[in-house]
């Protein structure tokens, strides 16, 4: 099976022989309730699915797909190019005792998938990002399969929400070597970050898979996306319907929403840039602040992402000369507006990374940063306009 070298995440998965997206499914009822809540927040209830045609691209190991199949869509097509993910999909559906629609599995990439069929709902989670040329191309292709009046569910990795992960990657490469085997890297990082991960409430993935997918996956530092980038990629026929977390409240009177006055995407973006700073820490409840500051924070976060890509494995000098100045700008951007714990956490990790000879004991002395996790995987639902 051929794969495009532009699909960085897929190449990593295949090279390492993994599909690191397994959930803890000891309580299937709980898992289904979580997925039901997600769909509800994105704007659809279970009775939407019967009689509908659904396409899911990159379902990984199929853990989320079993819920969707249990809602009895008319048809359910899965497109997954990772052979290790395909084995997991076949295995999990074989074990599924709940009645469900049997999906059709296409063992190929979206790039190689072609059909004339249009779908009521198209889903993709965890991929693609939004700014790489290959990702833009895949977004446009994905959007073509949505029926007019249909829905598109995507995830986005906001660079602000990923700040703490970029910083954990910088810590990671002070203790591992790129030439190490995946199992050794995972073991080392699990011993370092176990205390951090134990503090992350409602975590659904195993620690090993989170480490492999967030700290070792090369795509994380280039796969960021934002609502603005998504809107630009999808074009004028798509309008934001809902998001998780909720980043916008539309107070306009519905009777005024017609013709050029609807501007749903513009209203959403205005609200997003008032609250996107809250993505930096999943414990923060939404509140507004200066849009100009938040746009700068997003730009700085993108810069941190790309600097992490270029310098994460180059040690102390690279941190001091290239990355530290950007992190200090981020701290200065938020220090008067965000909770003290968040600011203290960033100052603490900066102090640690500024040590020339960083030791494990230095990490164990951290009190604030182990609690800091951003909102990395967020969701957007879009509607595709009908042409009247």
């Amino acid at each position: 099976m051929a794969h495009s070298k532009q699909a960085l995440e897929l190449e990593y998965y295949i090279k390492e022989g993994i599909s690191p997206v397994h959930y803890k499914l000891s309580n299937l009822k709980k898992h289904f309730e979580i997925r039901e809540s997600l769909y509800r927040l994105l704007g659809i209830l279970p009775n939407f699915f019967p009689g509908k045609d659904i396409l899911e691209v990159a379902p990984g190991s199929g853990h989320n797909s079993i819920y969707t199949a249990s809602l009895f869509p008319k048809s359910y097509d899965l497109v997954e190019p990772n052979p290790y993910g395909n084995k997991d999909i076949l295995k999990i559906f074989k074990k599924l005792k709940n009645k469900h629609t049997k999906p059709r599995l296409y063992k190929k990439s979206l790039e190689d998938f072609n059909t004339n069929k249009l779908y009521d709902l198209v889903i993709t989670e965890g991929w693609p990002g939004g700014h790489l040329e290959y990702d833009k191309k895949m977004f446009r292709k994905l959007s073509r399969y949505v029926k007019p009046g249909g829905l598109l569910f995507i995830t986005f990795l906001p660079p602000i929400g990923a700040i703490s992960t970029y910083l954990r990657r910088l810590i990671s490469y002070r203790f591992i070597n790129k030439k190490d085997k995946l199992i050794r890297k995972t073991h080392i990082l699990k011993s370092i970050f176990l205390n951090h991960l134990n503090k992350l409430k409602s975590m659904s993935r195993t620690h090993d898979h989170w480490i492999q997918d967030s700290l070792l996956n090369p795509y994380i530092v280039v796969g960021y996306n934002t609502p603005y980038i998504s809107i630009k990629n999808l074009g004028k026929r798509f309008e934001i319907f809902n998001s998780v977390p909720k980043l916008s409240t539309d107070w306009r009177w519905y009777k005024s929403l017609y013709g050029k006055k609807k501007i749903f995407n513009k209203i959403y973006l205005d609200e997003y840039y008032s609250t996107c700073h809250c993505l930096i820490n999943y414990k923060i409840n939404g509140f507004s602040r200066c849009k100009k500051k938040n746009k700068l924070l997003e730009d700085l976060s993108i810069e941190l992402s790309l600097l992490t890509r270029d310098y994460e494995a180059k040690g102390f000098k690279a941190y001091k000369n290239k990355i530290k100045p950007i992190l200090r700008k981020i701290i200065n951007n938020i220090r008067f507006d965000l909770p003290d714990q968040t600011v203290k956490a960033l100052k603490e990790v900066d102090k640690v990374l500024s040590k020339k000879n960083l030791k494990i004991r230095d990490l164990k002395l951290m009190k604030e940063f182990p609690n800091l996790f951003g909102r990395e995987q967020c969701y957007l639902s879009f509607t595709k306009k009908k042409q009247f």
Side-chain angles (χ1 to χ4, degrees):
M1 188 186 299
H3 304 290
S4 171
K5 293 294 183 181
Q6 298 177 82
L8 301 179
E9 188 168 48
L10 176 60
E11 286 299 311
Y12 163 68
Y13 288 168
I14 292 174
K15 177 186 174 185
E16 300 294 353
I18 57 174
S19 178
V21 289
H22 288 195
Y23 288 165
K24 302 169 186 175
L25 292 183
S26 55
N27 186 337
L28 192 61
K29 181 176 182 291
K30 177 183 175 182
H31 176 63
F32 277 19
E33 287 180 354
I34 289 170
R35 296 300 297 180
E36 181 183 6
S37 296
L38 172 64
Y39 283 178
R40 179 188 182 91
L41 291 172
L42 288 172
I44 58 173
L45 298 175
N47 63 4
F48 165 86
F49 287 84
K52 297 297 193 295
D53 296 310
I54 314 295
L55 170 66
E56 183 172 0
V57 175
S61 295
H63 287 58
N64 292 332
S65 307
I66 56 174
Y67 171 70
T68 306
S70 76
L71 299 176
F72 301 107
K74 178 184 175 183
S75 69
Y76 190 20
D77 293 340
L78 304 178
V79 177
E80 174 54 59
N82 184 352
Y84 303 98
N86 283 323
K87 288 180 183 177
D88 289 338
I89 290 169
L90 294 173
K91 183 178 179 181
I92 198 169
F93 272 98
K94 186 176 181 179
K95 287 185 175 181
L96 183 62
K97 295 179 180 179
N98 301 51
K99 291 183 179 180
H100 63 279
T101 298
K102 184 178 180 180
R104 181 173 180 178
L105 177 60
Y106 293 86
K107 299 178 182 180
K108 57 178 65 178
S109 66
L110 176 59
E111 191 174 12
D112 296 325
F113 174 74
N114 291 290
T115 180
N116 292 322
K117 186 175 180 179
L118 297 180
Y119 297 84
D120 298 286
L121 172 62
V122 174
I123 304 167
T124 185
E125 299 184 47
W127 177 87
H131 76 103
L132 299 175
E133 287 304 315
Y134 178 74
D135 290 357
K136 291 178 184 178
K137 181 181 176 182
M138 291 302 99
F139 255 122
R140 289 191 289 268
K141 183 169 185 179
L142 195 67
S143 71
R144 293 202 298 267
Y145 295 125
V146 182
K147 288 180 182 178
L151 290 163
L152 172 65
F153 285 0
I154 67 169
T155 53
F156 70 99
L157 175 66
I160 295 172
I163 286 173
S164 59
T165 292
Y166 301 149
L167 295 170
R168 285 187 174 89
R169 289 179 72 105
L170 293 170
I171 291 173
S172 299
Y173 280 97
R174 300 282 283 270
F175 293 93
I176 61 173
N177 191 303
K178 278 195 170 183
K179 295 180 181 178
D180 290 340
K181 296 289 186 182
L182 181 69
I183 191 169
R184 174 169 170 75
K185 293 176 185 176
T186 304
H187 177 74
I188 292 170
L189 297 184
K190 189 173 180 179
S191 67
I192 290 173
F193 293 115
L194 183 61
N195 181 44
H196 299 219
L197 295 172
N198 283 338
K199 295 176 183 294
L200 187 56
K201 304 302 180 185
S202 300
M203 188 174 187
S204 56
R205 275 202 284 185
T206 66
H207 291 165
D208 284 11
H209 280 192
W210 186 88
I211 288 166
Q212 290 169 3
D213 209 29
S214 295
L215 301 185
L216 298 174
N217 183 351
Y219 188 67
I220 294 299
V221 289
V222 295
Y224 65 81
N225 195 4
T226 67
Y228 172 77
I229 293 172
S230 295
I231 289 169
K232 191 174 179 181
N233 285 341
L234 292 171
K236 294 181 180 180
R237 288 202 67 187
F238 283 84
E239 295 175 320
I240 288 182
F241 185 43
N242 277 301
S243 70
V244 179
K246 295 286 185 184
L247 290 162
S248 175
T249 303
D250 194 337
W251 283 91
R252 297 175 298 160
W253 193 27
Y254 76 95
K255 290 187 178 182
S256 68
L257 304 183
Y258 58 89
K260 294 182 179 180
K261 297 180 182 180
K262 290 193 291 184
I263 56 172
F264 292 117
N265 289 343
K266 182 180 184 303
I267 294 297
Y268 183 90
L269 289 177
D270 284 346
E271 292 264 329
Y272 168 81
Y273 282 115
S274 295
T275 56
C276 63
H277 60 284
C278 299
L279 297 170
I280 198 170
N281 189 336
Y282 82 103
K283 294 181 179 179
I284 296 177
N285 291 322
F287 66 94
S288 298
R289 74 164 195 159
C290 171
K291 295 177 188 176
K292 185 177 180 180
K293 277 188 175 182
N294 278 349
K295 288 181 178 180
L296 175 59
L297 178 60
E298 188 169 83
D299 289 342
L300 291 170
S301 303
I302 289 171
E303 191 169 356
L304 177 62
S305 169
L306 300 179
L307 286 170
T308 302
R309 173 198 63 189
D310 293 338
Y311 296 104
E312 64 183 1
K314 295 187 178 179
F316 164 73
K317 285 187 178 180
Y319 176 77
K320 181 181 177 182
N321 297 326
K322 300 293 185 179
I323 299 174
K324 182 181 177 74
I326 299 303
L327 180 56
R328 297 308 301 176
K329 288 181 180 180
I330 290 172
I331 292 170
N332 288 334
N333 179 283
I334 68 170
R335 62 178 179 159
F336 296 118
D337 304 315
L338 270 72
D340 286 344
Q341 292 89 341
T342 302
V343 179
K344 286 178 180 177
L346 294 183
K347 288 182 176 179
E348 184 178 63
V349 73
D350 173 45
K351 185 177 179 180
V352 164
L353 285 166
S354 295
K355 291 179 178 289
K356 186 174 183 179
N357 297 306
L358 184 58
K359 306 293 184 184
I360 292 290
R361 65 173 177 267
D362 297 317
L363 304 181
K364 290 182 177 180
L365 291 173
M366 288 196 294
K367 296 180 179 179
E368 302 293 342
F369 185 66
N371 296 287
L372 181 62
F373 287 88
R375 291 182 181 263
E376 294 181 12
Q377 181 152 294
C378 301
Y379 288 78
L380 289 170
S381 60
F382 286 86
T383 56
K384 188 173 187 177
K385 295 180 186 178
K386 289 184 176 180
Q387 292 180 327
F388 296 102

